[in-house]
């Protein structure tokens, strides 16, 4: 019965995600992604993927430049979506998809904005990935024990207006969230396997077959995360860090006065875990390259080109935005307020400020209950404090919501936070990988708060041992 309720809950979340898809305000990058989805036709319809290889020189907004800069999963997924919906490459917007030198209205006049039917078809794949990511957040919450964290985390993730807006668009964020969270989920399962039987939370018998499958899942999910969006490296690094932390914790004594029991580290030792992480990393990168034809022509050189072009684009974006570069203080503030206390940012380019077309779309979307739960300070501040309490509870054994494996969570948090502290742009979309981290911390905080309340309710209260 409970499994049926779980399934109905996830179905309801998916219906909610899809119901708001056509209403989501349009972003210029959607047109670019839809235009570049002609790569799907080249690779899978005409079966000529070699035509997608690139080499210098790179010119802004030309196909070579767009291919080296962007992940390929979304382009292929969009192509499959419009192909199944009956569209052809002749229906796609002209190069480069969106002309950032023109106004919103002028782009509409010149055909750079896709018709709504094509836009909806193109958004389907990203929205599907977003809906599936809710299931992953449910599964991650379930690893903390019981259904309370599973329902809480999946609801908080799915109803977050920032996640909803970006995930519903025909952009890379939907697949980034899905495969990124799949990578984290695999890391959690591996970490629980590493620390099993250490502190009484894990008693599942060790299985070599299960271990191999989990490491294979980690490599597969990591490779698809990188192929979804290059910034997905923070999910991959966070997952690897989580597993490494679990392996280190496994080697530590249970207390300062206690030696590690004989055989305690016999299942998976630290050096072996490091080697397995390295192997999984090689496989993930290999999959990333295999699915990225832009890198096939001299892989080391193309990877160097990717980094150089990314750095060049970042410099252009910083120079074009009067709000950039942000100060270190502003970046720390973003870590605190972006998850639950900042309204959704519908566009980054200030050119859109004067567009009545964009303003009308945004107003219609935000007026709909399908735009998500608008937290504001009233809900956002308590959720932020709950996440902070969850972080503090990790170091307090009596409040810790799960076994020693959960001590790898700060590794994911630190990797993601560090990437944002070096980011000079005040663009909310870049904070998207940070939101799941804080959501999980809030779930941990909820469980820790329940432990405090249950302790206070018992005879003797907190003084009882």
């Amino acid at each position: 019965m409970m499994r049926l309720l779980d399934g109905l809950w996830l179905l309801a979340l998916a219906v909610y995600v899809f119901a708001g898809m056509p209403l989501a305000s349009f972003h210029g990058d959607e047109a670019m992604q839809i235009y570049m989805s002609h790569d799907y036709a080249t690779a899978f319809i005409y079966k000529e993927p070699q035509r997608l290889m690139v080499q210098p020189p790179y010119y802004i907004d030309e196909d070579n430049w767009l291919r080296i800069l962007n992940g390929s999963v979304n382009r292929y997924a969009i192509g499959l979506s419009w192909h199944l919906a009956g569209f052809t490459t002749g229906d796609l917007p002209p190069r480069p998809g969106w002309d950032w030198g023109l106004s919103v209205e002028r782009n509409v006049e010149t055909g750079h904005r896709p018709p709504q039917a094509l836009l909806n078809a193109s958004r389907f794949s990203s929205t599907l990935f977003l809906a599936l990511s809710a299931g992953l957040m449910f599964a991650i919450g379930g690893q903390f024990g019981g259904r309370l964290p599973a329902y809480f985390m999946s609801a908080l993730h799915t109803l977050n207006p920032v996640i909803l807006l970006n995930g519903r668009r025909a952009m890379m964020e939907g697949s980034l969230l899905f495969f990124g969270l799949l990578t984290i989920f695999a890391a959690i399962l591996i970490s629980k396997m590493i620390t099993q039987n250490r502190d009484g939370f894990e008693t599942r018998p060790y299985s070599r077959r299960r271990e191999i499958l989990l490491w294979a899942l980690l490599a597969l999910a990591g490779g698809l995360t990188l192929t979804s969006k290059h910034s997905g490296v923070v999910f991959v690094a966070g997952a690897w860090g989580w597993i490494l932390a679990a392996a280190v914790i496994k080697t530590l004594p249970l207390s300062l006065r206690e030696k590690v029991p004989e055989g305690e580290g016999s299942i998976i030792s630290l050096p072996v875990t490091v080697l397995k992480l390295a192997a999984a990393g090689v496989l993930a990168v290999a999959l990333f390259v295999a699915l990225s034809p832009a890198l096939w022509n001299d892989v080391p050189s193309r990877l160097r080109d990717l980094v150089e072009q990314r750095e060049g684009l970042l410099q252009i974006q910083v120079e074009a935005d009067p709000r950039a570069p942000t100060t270190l203080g502003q970046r720390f503030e973003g870590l605190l307020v972006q998850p639950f206390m900042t309204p959704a940012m519908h566009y980054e380019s200030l050119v859109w400020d004067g567009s009545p077309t964009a303003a009308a779309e945004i107003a219609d979307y935000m007026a709909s209950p399908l735009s998500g739960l608008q937290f504001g300070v009233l809900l956002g501040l308590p959720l932020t404090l709950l996440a902070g309490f969850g972080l503090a509870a990790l170091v307090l054994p009596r409040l810790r919501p799960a076994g020693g494996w959960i001590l790898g969570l700060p590794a994911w948090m630190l990797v993601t936070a560090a990437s944002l502290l070096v980011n000079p742009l005040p663009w909310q979309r870049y904070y998207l990988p940070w939101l799941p981290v804080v959501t999980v911390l809030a779930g941990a905080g909820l469980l820790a708060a329940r432990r405090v309340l249950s302790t206070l309710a018992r005879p003797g209260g907190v003084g009882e041992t």
Side-chain angles (χ1 to χ4, degrees), residues 143-146 148 199-201 386 389 393-406 443-458 461-462 464:
Q143 295 302 309
F144 283 70
L148 175 64
D199 47 16
F201 283 88
L386 189 63
F389 183 56
L394 297 183
V395 298
L396 302 173
R398 294 186 65 184
L399 293 181
R400 192 180 302 151
W405 62 269
I406 201 177
L446 179 66
L447 289 175
R450 185 177 67 172
R451 282 199 173 191
V452 171
L453 293 175
S454 64
T455 300
L456 291 174
R458 290 199 304 264
V462 294
E464 191 177 78

Side-chain angles (χ1 to χ4, degrees), residues 251-333:
T251 67
L252 298 177
L254 300 178
S255 72
L256 294 178
R257 300 182 304 275
E258 186 179 353
K259 294 182 180 180
V260 177
E262 185 178 352
E264 176 71 20
S266 61
I267 293 177
I268 302 176
S269 66
L270 179 58
V272 171
T273 299
V274 171
L275 289 176
K276 290 176 180 177
L277 280 172
V282 170
L283 291 174
V285 172
L287 179 60
F288 166 56
V289 172
L291 296 177
S292 305
L295 304 177
W296 292 354
N297 179 16
D298 189 353
V299 175
S301 297
R302 297 296 79 79
L303 288 173
R304 184 171 58 250
D305 291 346
L306 187 159
V307 173
E308 291 175 352
Q309 294 302 313
R310 268 283 156 206
E311 290 176 346
L313 177 61
L314 179 62
Q315 186 61 36
I316 292 172
Q317 291 169 331
V318 169
E319 292 174 355
D321 194 327
R323 301 164 297 182
T326 54
T327 65
L328 187 60
Q330 289 173 319
R331 298 172 199 178
F332 272 110
E333 180 184 358

Side-chain angles (χ1 to χ4, degrees), residues 31 42 46 50 60 75 80 108 152 160 190 211 222 254 268 273 288 303 333 344 363 366 378 387 394 397 444:
T42 301
Y46 306 125
Q50 69 277 4
I60 292 177
R75 296 202 299 271
L80 177 61
V108 173
F152 178 76
N160 190 310
I190 293 172
E211 182 191 357
L254 300 178
I268 302 176
T273 299
F288 166 56
L303 288 173
E333 180 184 358
M366 295 305 295
L378 187 62
L394 297 183

Side-chain angles (χ1 to χ4, degrees), residues 336-355:
L336 290 175
V337 303
Q338 286 290 351
F340 304 126
M341 291 190 287
T342 303
M345 178 184 286
H346 291 258
Y347 52 82
E348 293 81 29
S349 174
L350 298 180
V351 174
W352 288 50
D353 277 349
S355 168

